[in-house]
Every structure is written in structure tokens, then in C-alpha cells.
Amino acid sequence: MHAPKPLSVGEDPKWKQCRGIFEWDGFRRDVYVLESAPGDWAPAIQWLRSWADSCRLLGVDGSIEIPDEPASLVARGRNDPTFLLEARKAGICFNCHFFTDDEIEFDFDPREVDDEPAFGVVLDLLRGLAIATKKEAYLTPEN
């Protein structure tokens, strides 16, 4: 990845300067909500459901109803590595993995961000998560 540091919307990023971040290098990109806490999950998922074109839970048993209280999602995610929340917006698929209750993380394929409107969708995700959780959200290389 070509960015020397994580990208946040507070920096007012522009497509022209950031397009190299999305060049394929064999790795996905991560979006993190910094210093997440268990109480941040509900507003994050509520916002995501209102923003995304589609939003669904996936696991080994197929698509699952998204519960109103997300605490059970983290418990299940710890025991089932295939369990994830898939949110699609304007042709970009964002996957949320429930590794721990204090880490809100999404990943996506950078090849799906190939123009300025798609870059705007990623920025909208960062902004929306930051507003919903009242925390900073960053785009980073996959770790």
C-alpha cells in the first residue's frame, strides 16, 4: 500500500492524492473504529443498516436475521470464523468480522474502489461510523 499512515476523513482526503491506496497488492483494506467499546456496536450497526444498499449476516448456516442487540454477534463471531456482517454500497462489499467486542473492523477489496465516486463511498463509511460511534475511523492496510 502506498499510504505511509492510516487515512481518516478529518484530513479531507482527495481521490487524486489517495488513488494509490487502492492499487491491488494482494491484500484487502481495513476500516477501524479506534478505541471501540462494546456499547459502540449498536449505533454502528444501526447506522450501517440505514446507509447500506443491503446488509446481512452470513455464517456457515447461510443468511441470518440481524438482531436488535448486537452483543450476541460478538459471542458468535469468536466461535465461528466464517460469521460476518456483509454490507454492500454502490458495488463495494464491506465485511465486518466480530473478533472482539472492543474492535469494530471492516475489510473490503480495494479493486472495488476504482474511481472518485467509489472513493466517496469509502469516505462515507468512515464518516458514518465516526458519527455513529463518536470515535475516529481510519482506513489502513489489512493487518
Side-chain angles (χ1 to χ4, degrees), residues 7-15 31-33 43-44 47-48 51 94 116-139:
L7 175 70
S8 78
V9 292
E11 300 162 0
D12 192 27
K14 304 292 186 222
W15 171 245
V31 170
Y32 286 101
V33 175
W47 174 82
L48 190 69
W51 172 77
F94 299 98
E116 192 164 0
F119 179 58
V121 171
V122 173
L123 295 181
D124 287 347
L125 176 67
L126 291 169
R127 282 187 200 101
L129 289 171
I131 291 167
T133 61
K134 298 176 178 61
K135 309 255 170 105
E136 291 185 70
Y138 283 93
L139 172 68

Side-chain angles (χ1 to χ4, degrees), residues 71-132:
S72 63
L73 300 178
V74 176
R76 179 160 179 187
R78 285 188 191 130
N79 298 320
D80 180 357
T82 67
F83 186 65
L84 61 90
L85 177 72
E86 177 190 87
R88 293 183 177 271
K89 181 72 172 181
I92 303 172
C93 180
F94 299 98
N95 295 316
C96 179
H97 302 273
F98 302 96
F99 298 127
T100 68
D101 61 358
D102 62 351
E103 181 179 282
I104 297 176
E105 177 212 335
F106 292 82
D107 66 34
F108 66 95
D109 186 332
R111 294 172 290 189
E112 294 177 344
V113 182
D114 57 1
D115 60 19
E116 192 164 0
F119 179 58
V121 171
V122 173
L123 295 181
D124 287 347
L125 176 67
L126 291 169
R127 282 187 200 101
L129 289 171
I131 291 167

